[in-house]
Amino acid sequence: DAGVIQSPRHEVTEMGQEVTLRCKPISGHNSLFWYRQTMMRGLELLIYFNNNVPIDDSGMPEDRFSAKMPNASFSTLKIQPSEPRDSAVYFCASTPGGIRGYTFGSGTRLTVV
Amino acid sequence: AQSVTQPDIHITVSEGASLELRCNYSYGATPYLFWYVQSPGQGLQLLLKYFSGDTLVQGIKGFEAEFKRSQSSFNLRKPSVHWSDAAEYFCAVGASDMRFGAGTRLTVKP
């Protein structure tokens, strides 16, 4: 099992540009989560999906953020336009059932200059 | 609303010494509780979990945690710390929308 796969590992972009982060969950996991980690705010849940359907997006900070899960094996988190305060590490996680705990990807470190 | 508090931002212990990391939770019902470890530049790895049954749970890497409902606590322990345990440790609560504490950074002195 390759685990949760995120790409890219690092992204540096200029303010105002569109950024797309990608995640491939573990096969058979029916829930997927996007988290953002910063020194100031720690780990924040942005959005999560069950069976490809967004359940709770109350953590998405602004309309500039959007997430999709077109099928069970792929999800994207898009920021448009990006701003320097979006700089953070973004994690994707998946689980076959919440009580089993989540499996996290290695994260995407986003730097917006 | 569910939440987690980790009172200690940073802890330093000597290699071979015992370790206890504190976690307090707020949850309306029977909580699902977890401990994760994060090494620098890595994602989070699940150490152990509790949702029912025996209140002392064993995890990977020699860690254990004890659920105490009366104290709303779920502290992580290890009898003898190894240098490789230096990392950030996160307590979390919830199942469908897991919430994390702020983390405790563990430094291990030789």
Side-chain angles (χ1 to χ4, degrees), chain A residues 62-90:
Chain A
E62 300 172 36
D63 291 345
R64 300 183 295 107
F65 286 69
S66 62
K68 294 182 179 180
M69 192 165 185
N71 56 63
S73 60
F74 184 64
S75 177
T76 59
L77 178 67
K78 185 178 295 185
I79 308 172
Q80 165 63 17
S82 58
E83 297 183 4
R85 60 195 167 115
D86 301 331
S87 297
V89 181
Y90 291 81

Side-chain angles (χ1 to χ4, degrees), chain A residues 12 18 38 55 78 106:
Chain A
V12 180
E18 177 179 296
T38 61
I55 302 301
K78 185 178 295 185
S106 297

Side-chain angles (χ1 to χ4, degrees), chain B residues 18-91:
Chain B
S18 63
L19 170 70
E20 182 168 25
L21 302 182
R22 296 185 291 164
C23 172
N24 294 99
Y25 68 88
S26 173
Y27 197 73
T30 300
Y32 297 112
L33 294 160
F34 307 83
W35 275 99
Y36 287 83
V37 60
Q38 184 181 30
S39 298
Q42 301 297 315
L44 281 73
Q45 180 184 20
L46 179 65
L47 284 175
L48 48 78
K49 58 183 183 286
Y50 169 82
F51 52 91
S52 68
D54 192 346
T55 56
L56 183 64
V57 294
Q58 302 297 319
I60 62 171
K61 305 186 180 188
F63 285 92
E64 65 179 26
E66 186 171 14
F67 170 63
K68 293 185 178 180
R69 185 185 297 277
S70 61
Q71 300 178 16
S72 297
S73 69
F74 188 56
N75 294 349
L76 182 71
R77 301 194 294 248
K78 187 169 186 178
S80 177
V81 170
H82 189 263
W83 63 266
S84 60
D85 294 324
E88 187 100 17
Y89 291 81
F90 293 91
C91 184

Side-chain angles (χ1 to χ4, degrees), chain A residues 22-47:
Chain A
R22 297 172 175 80
C23 175
K24 176 179 170 56
I26 292 174
S27 177
H29 284 196
N30 62 349
S31 297
L32 181 143
F33 306 81
W34 283 100
Y35 284 86
R36 178 172 68 176
Q37 185 178 38
T38 61
M39 289 292 292
M40 291 298 295
R41 302 174 69 90
L43 274 161
E44 302 173 275
L45 176 62
L46 300 179
I47 185 172

Side-chain angles (χ1 to χ4, degrees), chain B residues 12-19 79-83 106-110:
Chain B
T12 300
V13 299
S14 297
E15 190 168 16
S18 63
L19 170 70
S80 177
V81 170
H82 189 263
W83 63 266
L106 174 65
T107 298
V108 180
K109 294 190 303 184

